[in-house]
Amino acid sequence: MTGVVHPVPAWVPNEPPVVDWQGHALDCEGCENLALRDTGKCQPGHACVFDRYAKRIDRFFRWNPERANDYLEHPYFEVRAVASRSADVFRLVGLMHDPDETVRLHVALRLPQRLLAELRHDPDREVRIRVAQRLEVNHLIEMADDPDYFVRKLVAERLPIALLPKLARDPDREVRLVVARRLEVPALLALLNDPEVDIRRTLVARLPVGLLAEMARDPAWEVRWELAQRADDALLRRLLLDEEPEVREAARVRLATLETETRHG
């Protein structure tokens, strides 16, 4: 963007005051970036690395990405965080254990895989979420025991099928639901007696028809109703005797449909 003069914007109502990160008035005359004002690439109240407002810091680095490396050790976390977006990747190593989670979050978005794995146990869940989204699948298994359910859910969505049974007994319903939607038989049978109705309904929708008979004894009528949507002739006749009217009706309708299809070849 060398040589481009950015127009000075009109005052924007409700924007934060123009002060530095400690709340002091900005001193442009003594600023190390004073020369940038001549090209419009640094503007008080709009684009300034020393401003407290993150959007003005961000604008400064978007206009001057080559300056990012120089501010990775700035005392204000917003400056370090925004600078990390444009800094050389090899310079991000020093920010992997930054005391502020916002900085580590931005770093997790750019680190190469061999370094990203080191953040699998970061104390902040948002950082670990980003790691779980980006980490190569062969390194994900170690995050299957993460204390945060959402991290484990992301792991369940990305793990190779062969490693997924590890999460079939996860304490969280959302994680097991992802497992139920991805696992294949016979591993899928591990969820047959899951305490959550939605998970057992998912099993009914995915199990081979020949393995559905056991689900006819499920205590939840919703599961048995789901079963009536897929059951074969023999199982449907059992469901015609179900104690729940909705299940009996669903079985009757499907049985009539199957008989009609059979008559018409």
Side-chain angles (χ1 to χ4, degrees):
M1 298 181 69
T2 305
V4 176
V5 177
H6 300 278
V8 178
W11 178 73
V12 180
N14 302 319
E15 277 213 349
V18 181
V19 294
D20 68 14
W21 67 282
Q22 293 179 310
H24 303 144
L26 290 168
D27 179 16
C28 292
E29 294 308 312
C31 179
E32 60 198 55
N33 296 312
L34 183 61
L36 292 175
R37 290 182 60 180
D38 295 337
T39 61
K41 295 172 72 175
C42 181
Q43 298 173 13
H46 188 58
C48 177
V49 70
F50 295 113
D51 200 296
R52 183 164 63 185
Y53 190 32
K55 286 188 176 180
R56 296 172 189 148
I57 298 170
D58 176 69
R59 193 172 289 117
F60 175 87
F61 284 120
R62 281 193 284 114
W63 291 356
N64 307 281
E66 71 284 353
R67 299 286 178 115
N69 287 347
D70 300 331
Y71 291 96
L72 295 178
E73 297 181 5
H74 193 279
Y76 186 31
F77 79 93
E78 288 282 16
V79 172
R80 300 195 305 277
V82 179
S84 70
R85 299 176 190 169
S86 304
D88 296 334
V89 172
F90 70 87
R91 293 288 302 272
L92 299 181
V93 178
L95 296 176
M96 288 175 59
H97 303 291
D98 192 277
D100 193 275
E101 64 274 12
T102 304
V103 178
R104 301 195 306 276
L105 176 61
H106 282 78
V107 169
L109 297 173
R110 296 192 61 215
L111 278 176
Q113 289 291 323
R114 62 184 179 82
L115 295 175
L116 184 63
E118 295 184 26
L119 293 180
R120 285 178 295 196
H121 303 292
D122 191 276
D124 187 80
R125 75 181 291 265
E126 295 297 328
V127 175
R128 299 197 309 277
I129 285 172
R130 296 303 181 276
V131 174
Q133 290 172 328
R134 288 195 59 223
L135 196 63
E136 291 177 348
V137 293
N138 55 315
H139 293 302
L140 266 180
I141 191 63
E142 290 189 28
M143 301 189 79
D145 296 317
D146 192 276
D148 189 272
Y149 92 93
F150 193 73
V151 174
R152 300 195 307 275
K153 181 181 177 182
L154 290 172
V155 172
E157 290 172 348
R158 299 189 60 225
L159 267 184
I161 297 294
L163 299 177
L164 202 52
K166 178 179 175 63
L167 288 166
R169 300 298 182 188
D170 192 274
D172 190 88
R173 167 189 177 278
E174 292 296 321
V175 177
R176 298 197 310 279
L177 193 54
V178 171
V179 174
R181 290 168 178 162
R182 294 192 62 212
L183 267 185
E184 301 293 343
V185 175
L188 186 58
L189 296 173
L191 293 164
L192 205 61
N193 298 309
D194 193 277
E196 292 291 335
V197 171
D198 284 351
I199 292 175
R200 301 200 304 277
R201 287 186 67 183
T202 299
L203 256 66
V204 169
R206 298 197 62 235
L207 283 172
V209 174
L211 296 177
L212 291 178
E214 188 172 346
M215 305 295 287
R217 296 190 295 270
D218 195 281
W221 74 266
E222 298 96 332
V223 175
R224 302 195 305 275
W225 181 92
E226 195 76 47
L227 185 60
Q229 312 308 309
R230 297 193 62 222
D232 58 18
D233 185 278
L235 187 51
L236 284 170
R237 295 187 185 281
R238 286 177 57 187
L239 293 174
L240 286 174
L241 304 175
D242 194 275
E243 62 184 28
E244 193 66 37
E246 286 84 351
V247 176
R248 296 197 301 269
E249 177 62 13
R252 185 193 65 76
V253 171
R254 175 161 167 78
L255 191 57
T257 300
L258 291 180
E259 291 174 346
T260 300
E261 291 174 352
T262 300
R263 284 197 303 270
H264 292 84

